[in-house]
Amino acid sequence: MDGVGTAAEFDLATKMAKLMTAVELEEAPLELTAHDVRGEPVTFAAAARGDYRPFHVGDRWGPPWSTTWFHVRGRVPVAWTGMSVVAVFDLGFQGHTGFTCEALAWRDGKPWRGVDPNHRWLPVRSSEVDFYLEASAIPTAVVAGPAEAPSMIALRESKDPVFVFRQAELRIQDPSARKQALDFKVLYELALALPEGDRRTEILEALNRFANSKDPEDVKGVLSRPSTATHQITAVGHAHIDTAWLWPLRETRRKCARTFSTALALMDEYPDYRFACSQPAQYAWMKESYQTIYEGIRQKVAAGQWEPVGSMWIEADCNLPSGEALVRQFVHGKRFFMGEFGVDTRDLWLPDVFGYPASLPQLIAESGGEFFLTQKLSWNDTNKPAHHTFMWEGIDGTAIFTHFPPADTYNGNFTAGEITRSAADFKDKESSSRSLYLYGWGDGGGGPEPDMIESAHRLRSIDGAPQVELGRAADFFAHAKREAHNLTTWVGELYFELHRGTYTSQARTKRLNRRAEQALREAEIWSVAVGEGYPADVLDSTWKRLLINQFHDILPGSSIDWVYEDAERELEAVIEVAGRITTSAQSSLAGSGDNLTVFNVNSHARREVVEIDERPVLVSAPACGWASTTDLAPTHLEPVSVSGRVMENGLLRVMWDERGLLTSIWDKEIGREVLSAGDPGNALLLHDDNPKNWDAWDVDADYRKSFVQLTELARANVEMEGPLRAAVRFTRNFGSSKLEQRMVLDAGSRVLRFETEVDWHEEHKFLKVAFPVSVRSSRATYEIQFGHVERSTHTNTSWDQARFEVCAHRWADLGEPGYGVALLNDCKYGYDIQGSVMRLSLLRAPTHPDPAADRGKHRFTYALMPHPGDFREAGVIAAAEDLNIPLRVVRGGISVGERRSLIEVDTPQVVVEAIKRAEDSDAVVIRLYEAWGGRCRARVRTSLTVSRAFLCDLLERNREEIEARDGQLELDLTPFKILTLKLIV
């Protein structure tokens, strides 16, 4: 490199290292004693009462996941009086900040600052040193590569110390030497970042002169020359803290305390420092467990230094949660920020989430937001994003101002090189001159270090670099949107071309999540129906338990085993609590007696077969309501039957061979074959699955080259022969696993169900089910939250090729004019439809970071639904909803024939997503949406006594009053429009 490293010049890199080392002078010892805590962490008060043993630098400490409290004492030498003194520590750091041991310093019984690999020193203001370090022994997880990933659950039991305490001493910090070192560092980094030319040469010559003379005047001129750049970077301090990932939730609480206390301390030292922080759930932890930190946050929010951002309760995954769950992320997140700080956030801040559905812009706008931020798509493996600043338009037409920080990181280090590259790489220079830069240690927390803020000051305006300001994200968004012009509009989903395995990994957690979402939906609607005693507080806390487990490293399946031990327990508790509420409400509504009362939470009337006391019964129920009934005579229904290897009802005839593979599904009503000629249906395909980089996260495209079809049949037996329900059970053994399927067809139904149980003990395998169908289309349709999207079934372009695995919710449909086939599921998310083959992802078996991910027992149901006509008129949306939320039948005293519907809509185009009590009143809130992608006028009828009705935003803030006459409302809906109604009852 010209100007660096020649024989006639100083080695500038070596000189910089020497200058940085010279910042700290002399040393004086600190005395340590230690108190060990196994299991759950304890409070400071409890730790202060503990028994402390002598401890010395060089001693080992910290069995995995334990806590060691160190009492630190010492005296500043008299000769150091008046000097800047710091206490310096190396706890035995192994790796980057956030991924190794770390500590929270406590002074005078209060949390003070974090200690980690990049925050090693604490300022000492008095001659007597006396404080505590609450040190957490966080072991290193293995997320990829040939090394085996340890079980973190097993490591909790280890008694072997992991870390060696390497340093604990007092040092003098020379402010003048530190200034010179940082001046030199910034200029050296800037020179390396600049192309060959006069400015680069000028800086290198100045640095060489300083290296010879040690005279600060030699660099003063090149450091003070102002920038002539037109690009303005707003730099915002940031500490991305994964709510759980390679550490459990309990440890994240402490990570927040360490990071937040450091941020507060730096704000006192640097009044211009601004820190943006998302995830209200983490703030709530501080309010609960670290009151002094929380009060400090309150004060800094009021002062404008601490900026709440993000709007969601946590930085949620956006592929997998239901539409209503995403709504509640906004509701709980924004209400917390408004209630606690008076801040109505206008942005959705998701820098690290694995893809963004095309319904998200409407949710941002409907919650009062204007802006969206991420940088994750910079990781795309095939097509890099073409823009950094653009308008993102969703399926309903809502457009949101969107920014991808061009540094392609949310953990910026504030080097001059990263700053200059950020401006140079900005892809929208013709329409905007502003970009955002997020700096600070993150993922495991830590946040900015003082040297980063010092670099920011030096880079504020320096020739060769862009203009840099320490600022607030809200101000950046406001200025950037106001000044931008001729922005490109991106229409549709922001598909992430990586981490496609997260649609499938940790299947038990995904199933529990789906069930928890449904359980809360039911608990709310039936509690509204009861009227009195609505359990608002219980539902509030239970929703938050669900929402926190939708964090983008929990629900996608990319965390350590301990996280899933916690997640499964928490989600089961959500289901249990919501189930108790539903049971109590339904008992109150049904009363005492022996008549059958059928409850239907869905927004369409239903007539279907259920099993009561192991006997199939045909029942019916109105939309969003209940009915008392007797066994309905199956009039006008041709019975279903099983004969040999044939199952059929009045609509479908299903045939299979001696291996249990489907050879034909004949549509009797239409007179056509559903399956492709010669290709078996319900083909279970076991693929080798060895992604190159991120085991739990990724599925690589070449997995498709290696697979076996599971054809060996252990046994088949008929369990039910009709006339209302037919069922055949197939049992297969393969590898170390066992799979049982109950193929079910009901009288009068087009839905062929496969109720599946798997005892899964494979490793690096990927199980899919395939249905080759006799339908041809270049596009397939997939359900997303509050609507659906179309995707290609071919690989014409690189964009099509990258979508070899996609996310959908309860259904996907492949249709041609006049006919189609839908593939439904009750807890799966990964699909691929290539050509005429429809495939659903069932199970994976990664080994990193959870060495036993997904091993064990699984239950799930998928279903094939051949249908005439378009999927909309054919009722695919309703069928998928019904598969996911079965009718509930209880005994009660309601007279036979009595029925009530809370809400009815006169068109299947409009789906009711939620019925709940308002957050701040006794009003009833109804969320509905247009599901077909068309325009319609809908009449909504309610049995509630309504005095007034309002259209609201997602936070239930009134927008306009609408007429409610005799319990009826008329609504005009545009494609995929979400409406929130508030009924005053």
Side-chain angles (χ1 to χ4, degrees):
M1 191 177 294
D2 290 348
V4 180
T6 66
E9 296 172 327
F10 281 86
D11 182 338
L12 297 181
T14 301
K15 178 63 176 178
M16 182 178 69
K18 290 181 177 178
L19 287 170
M20 297 301 292
T21 301
V23 169
E24 292 177 2
L25 311 172
E26 303 188 37
E27 60 186 61
L30 287 168
E31 175 190 329
L32 299 174
T33 55
H35 170 58
D36 301 316
V37 178
R38 298 303 303 270
E40 291 302 300
V42 300
T43 63
F44 172 83
R49 296 192 299 268
D51 295 326
Y52 283 76
R53 58 183 170 83
F55 189 90
H56 305 91
V57 170
D59 288 353
R60 301 188 69 85
W61 70 278
W65 300 114
S66 68
T67 303
T68 301
W69 287 79
F70 294 102
H71 193 176
V72 182
R73 283 176 284 200
R75 177 180 290 276
V76 176
V78 175
W80 296 8
T81 301
M83 298 182 181
S84 177
V85 179
V86 293
V88 184
F89 298 95
D90 182 343
L91 307 179
F93 302 127
Q94 301 171 1
H96 297 297
T97 290
F99 298 90
T100 182
C101 59
E102 50 196 51
L104 176 62
W106 293 77
R107 185 178 61 184
D108 300 326
K110 298 177 181 179
W112 178 21
R113 298 171 85 128
V115 176
D116 59 49
N118 294 95
H119 301 87
R120 295 183 179 222
W121 54 266
L122 301 170
V124 175
R125 308 297 191 200
S126 62
S127 59
E128 295 292 331
V129 178
D130 190 340
F131 60 86
Y132 291 81
L133 294 177
E134 179 192 2
S136 180
I138 303 174
T140 301
V142 180
V143 299
E148 291 187 4
S151 164
M152 295 301 173
I153 293 174
L155 280 181
R156 293 189 310 223
E157 307 306 318
S158 173
K159 298 179 181 178
D160 298 328
V162 179
F163 301 102
V164 176
F165 207 124
R166 299 194 190 103
Q167 184 182 21
E169 59 193 15
L170 296 174
R171 303 290 300 271
I172 297 171
Q173 196 173 82
D174 185 340
S176 176
R178 183 163 180 252
K179 180 183 183 305
Q180 291 181 21
L182 292 171
D183 288 348
F184 192 100
K185 176 176 179 290
V186 167
L187 286 170
Y188 179 64
E189 291 169 349
L190 180 58
L192 296 184
L194 291 174
E196 293 294 332
D198 293 345
R199 177 60 172 163
R200 184 174 188 271
T201 300
E202 178 188 34
I203 294 173
L204 290 173
E205 290 176 348
L207 292 175
N208 275 293
R209 288 195 301 273
F210 174 79
N212 279 305
S213 69
K214 299 181 183 178
D215 183 356
E217 292 297 318
D218 286 329
V219 296
K220 185 176 181 180
V222 291
L223 192 64
S224 61
R225 180 177 299 171
S227 172
T228 59
T230 58
H231 191 83
Q232 176 78 56
I233 290 178
T234 300
V236 180
H238 185 241
H240 182 65
I241 304 178
D242 284 317
T243 296
W245 179 29
L246 305 181
W247 43 85
L249 288 169
R250 82 111 199 252
E251 194 58 44
T252 313
R253 285 178 178 257
R254 301 202 291 175
K255 282 180 172 289
C256 292
R258 294 186 278 261
T259 299
F260 295 171
S261 60
T262 299
L264 293 171
L266 289 176
M267 287 175 188
D268 290 336
E269 296 169 15
Y270 297 96
D272 62 341
Y273 169 51
R274 302 291 182 266
F275 181 75
C277 185
S278 63
Q279 306 196 90
Q282 296 180 357
Y283 289 72
W285 287 341
M286 298 302 99
K287 184 178 182 181
E288 175 186 335
S289 302
Y290 299 91
Q291 290 81 12
T292 55
I293 293 177
Y294 193 68
E295 183 54 36
I297 293 172
R298 279 185 184 276
Q299 294 173 6
K300 296 303 183 181
V301 170
Q305 286 185 272
W306 186 294
E307 183 181 15
V309 296
S311 301
M312 283 187 172
W313 185 242
I314 43 89
E315 290 186 13
D317 178 79
C318 291
N319 288 316
L320 308 173
S322 69
E324 188 60 25
L326 290 180
V327 168
R328 302 305 174 92
Q329 292 283 359
F330 283 101
V331 169
H332 288 289
K334 295 199 66 165
R335 282 176 58 84
F336 184 92
F337 281 155
M338 287 189 287
E340 294 292 321
F341 309 119
V343 174
D344 186 0
T345 50
R346 311 291 287 178
D347 63 274
L348 179 58
W349 184 281
L350 297 175
D352 192 33
V353 172
F354 310 151
Y356 309 92
S359 50
L360 196 54
Q362 184 177 189
L363 296 181
I364 297 171
E366 285 294 311
S367 66
E370 299 181 67
F371 312 111
F372 175 59
L373 175 141
T374 186
Q375 64 81 46
K376 198 64 178 181
L377 271 64
S378 68
W379 289 35
N380 279 4
D381 61 12
T382 306
N383 304 283
K384 298 297 183 183
H387 298 279
H388 286 119
T389 298
F390 59 96
M391 299 302 294
W392 177 25
E393 183 177 304
I395 52 174
D396 72 308
T398 298
I400 293 293
F401 184 91
T402 298
H403 183 66
F404 296 173
D408 292 341
T409 182
Y410 48 83
N411 297 326
N413 55 24
F414 232 125
T415 60
E418 197 167 79
I419 289 294
T420 55
R421 283 193 301 273
S422 178
D425 293 346
F426 184 59
K427 296 177 180 179
D428 298 282
K429 297 181 177 71
E430 294 183 359
S431 54
S432 178
S433 61
R434 292 179 178 270
S435 64
L436 197 62
Y437 178 69
L438 311 182
Y439 68 96
W441 295 96
D443 289 328
E449 55 185 289
D451 287 3
M452 293 178 181
I453 304 172
E454 293 286 348
S455 293
H457 291 162
R458 288 159 175 79
L459 289 167
R460 180 178 288 116
S461 180
I462 181 172
D463 190 21
Q467 306 282 350
V468 178
E469 65 173 355
L470 294 179
R472 294 163 48 86
D475 295 334
F476 158 77
F477 279 120
H479 292 311
K481 184 178 182 180
R482 183 171 60 250
E483 296 174 7
H485 56 279
N486 300 324
L487 291 177
T488 295
T489 297
W490 176 272
V491 179
E493 66 184 330
L494 292 174
Y495 174 83
F496 184 38
E497 296 177 358
L498 202 67
H499 294 0
R500 302 169 184 89
T502 58
Y503 311 148
T504 306
S505 297
Q506 298 289 355
R508 274 184 297 272
T509 296
K510 288 176 168 62
R511 178 174 184 264
L512 289 168
N513 172 76
R514 181 84 65 89
R515 288 183 59 207
E517 291 171 338
Q518 296 158 0
L520 282 165
R521 176 182 176 183
E522 291 193 82
E524 288 181 334
I525 183 175
W526 305 130
S527 295
V528 166
V530 170
E532 298 296 325
Y534 188 85
D537 291 343
V538 175
L539 286 168
D540 180 89
S541 62
T542 307
W543 262 109
K544 287 172 181 173
R545 294 174 81 173
L546 169 62
L547 298 181
I548 207 163
N549 283 287
Q550 294 181 336
F551 179 73
H552 66 257
D553 274 312
I554 301 179
L555 186 54
S558 50
S559 291
I560 58 172
D561 52 1
W562 188 348
V563 170
Y564 294 104
E565 179 185 66
D566 288 347
E568 290 182 24
R569 182 184 63 250
E570 282 293 289
L571 292 172
E572 285 169 350
V574 169
I575 294 165
E576 193 273 333
V577 170
R580 282 203 315 266
I581 293 171
T582 291
T583 298
S584 174
Q586 290 180 342
S587 176
S588 176
L589 294 168
S592 300
D594 294 323
N595 293 338
L596 297 180
T597 304
V598 185
F599 287 87
N600 171 28
V601 75
N602 294 339
S603 55
H604 53 272
R606 296 166 69 177
R607 188 170 184 262
E608 59 194 63
V609 177
V610 299
E611 290 186 28
I612 301 175
D613 300 327
E614 299 183 356
R615 182 174 65 91
V617 176
L618 183 65
V619 298
S620 68
C624 300
W626 61 96
S628 181
T629 184
T630 57
D631 295 4
L632 298 178
T635 55
H636 309 301
L637 284 181
E638 186 173 328
V640 64
S641 63
V642 179
S643 177
R645 292 199 289 267
V646 179
M647 175 188 291
E648 64 180 313
N649 62 13
L651 300 170
L652 301 176
R653 181 188 303 121
V654 183
M655 303 176 67
W656 59 95
D657 63 17
E658 70 280 359
R659 301 170 298 172
L661 303 178
L662 302 189
T663 57
S664 173
I665 302 176
W666 181 258
D667 191 320
K668 297 166 66 174
E669 180 183 17
I670 304 302
R672 67 177 282 170
E673 176 59 45
V674 174
L675 299 179
S676 299
D679 294 322
N682 194 40
L684 293 163
L685 309 177
L686 188 65
H687 294 264
D688 291 326
D689 183 19
N690 295 283
K692 292 186 291 290
N693 294 320
W694 303 90
D695 197 16
W697 290 259
D698 287 352
V699 169
D700 293 349
D702 60 3
Y703 86 90
R704 294 171 291 184
K705 299 176 181 177
S706 176
F707 69 92
V708 295
Q709 184 172 335
L710 305 183
T711 58
E712 183 177 335
L713 184 65
R715 60 183 174 275
N717 58 289
V718 177
E719 292 190 345
M720 304 180 77
E721 298 182 278
L724 287 176
R725 173 165 290 173
V728 178
R729 182 176 295 273
F730 301 99
T731 303
R732 303 181 188 278
N733 298 311
F734 60 95
S736 302
S737 304
K738 178 180 179 180
L739 181 146
E740 291 194 63
Q741 283 195 320
R742 187 173 182 248
M743 184 171 70
V744 180
L745 184 64
D746 290 342
S749 175
R750 285 187 163 274
V751 178
L752 179 64
R753 302 198 305 278
F754 298 87
E755 299 170 356
T756 308
E757 297 183 13
V758 186
D759 194 4
W760 176 251
H761 296 283
E762 305 307 302
E763 186 171 296
H764 289 293
K765 298 294 183 181
F766 189 12
L767 182 63
K768 280 192 168 256
V769 63
F771 291 91
V773 298
S774 58
V775 173
R776 182 174 178 80
S777 175
S778 63
R779 310 283 285 175
T781 308
Y782 301 82
E783 186 188 38
I784 63 171
Q785 302 95 330
F786 295 114
H788 55 262
V789 295
E790 291 185 352
R791 299 175 178 126
S792 299
T793 61
H794 54 72
T795 55
N796 286 0
T797 71
S798 60
W799 300 91
D800 301 323
Q801 293 160 19
R803 286 174 166 84
F804 62 84
E805 180 83 358
V806 297
C807 185
H809 277 236
R810 297 170 296 191
W811 60 268
D813 189 86
L814 184 65
E816 62 189 24
Y819 202 80
V821 179
L823 182 54
L824 322 177
N825 76 84
D826 75 342
C827 62
K828 300 299 175 185
Y829 297 91
Y831 279 84
D832 73 271
I833 301 178
Q834 297 293 316
S836 295
V837 181
M838 309 179 74
R839 306 206 311 168
L840 179 68
S841 302
L842 303 179
L843 291 170
R844 297 188 69 224
T847 56
H848 296 69
D850 177 356
D854 280 312
R855 307 330 184 264
K857 294 184 178 179
H858 298 267
R859 296 181 62 188
F860 50 85
T861 297
Y862 57 88
L864 199 72
M865 181 183 174
H867 58 83
D870 178 82
F871 72 89
R872 300 166 181 84
E873 288 86 359
V876 167
I877 298 170
E881 195 174 18
D882 294 346
L883 180 70
N884 277 266
I885 309 183
L887 294 172
R888 286 178 175 262
V889 182
V890 302
R891 299 285 179 179
I894 299 177
S895 301
V896 173
E898 185 177 336
R899 55 204 298 118
R900 181 186 172 192
S901 179
L902 281 184
I903 300 292
E904 293 179 286
V905 185
D906 69 348
T907 170
Q909 257 185 275
V910 177
V911 174
V912 176
E913 184 76 0
I915 301 174
K916 61 183 287 287
R917 184 66 59 82
E919 296 293 323
D920 292 322
S921 72
D922 291 332
V924 173
V925 169
I926 302 165
R927 189 132 36 240
L928 42 79
Y929 69 100
E930 195 288 317
W932 287 15
R935 299 173 186 271
C936 72
R937 170 164 291 186
R939 179 177 289 108
V940 178
R941 293 186 296 271
T942 178
S943 61
L944 299 168
T945 302
V946 179
S947 61
R948 301 177 71 185
F950 296 87
L951 286 175
C952 306
D953 67 4
L954 296 182
L955 272 68
E956 301 170 11
R957 296 175 292 203
N958 293 348
R959 283 180 169 166
E960 62 175 292
E961 186 167 3
I962 58 176
E963 184 180 17
R965 180 179 297 174
D966 299 326
Q968 296 191 49
L969 303 89
E970 286 197 355
L971 303 171
D972 290 315
L973 289 93
T974 52
F976 300 119
K977 180 64 178 177
I978 303 167
L979 289 181
T980 301
L981 302 176
K982 184 190 293 182
L983 307 181
I984 310 301
V985 296

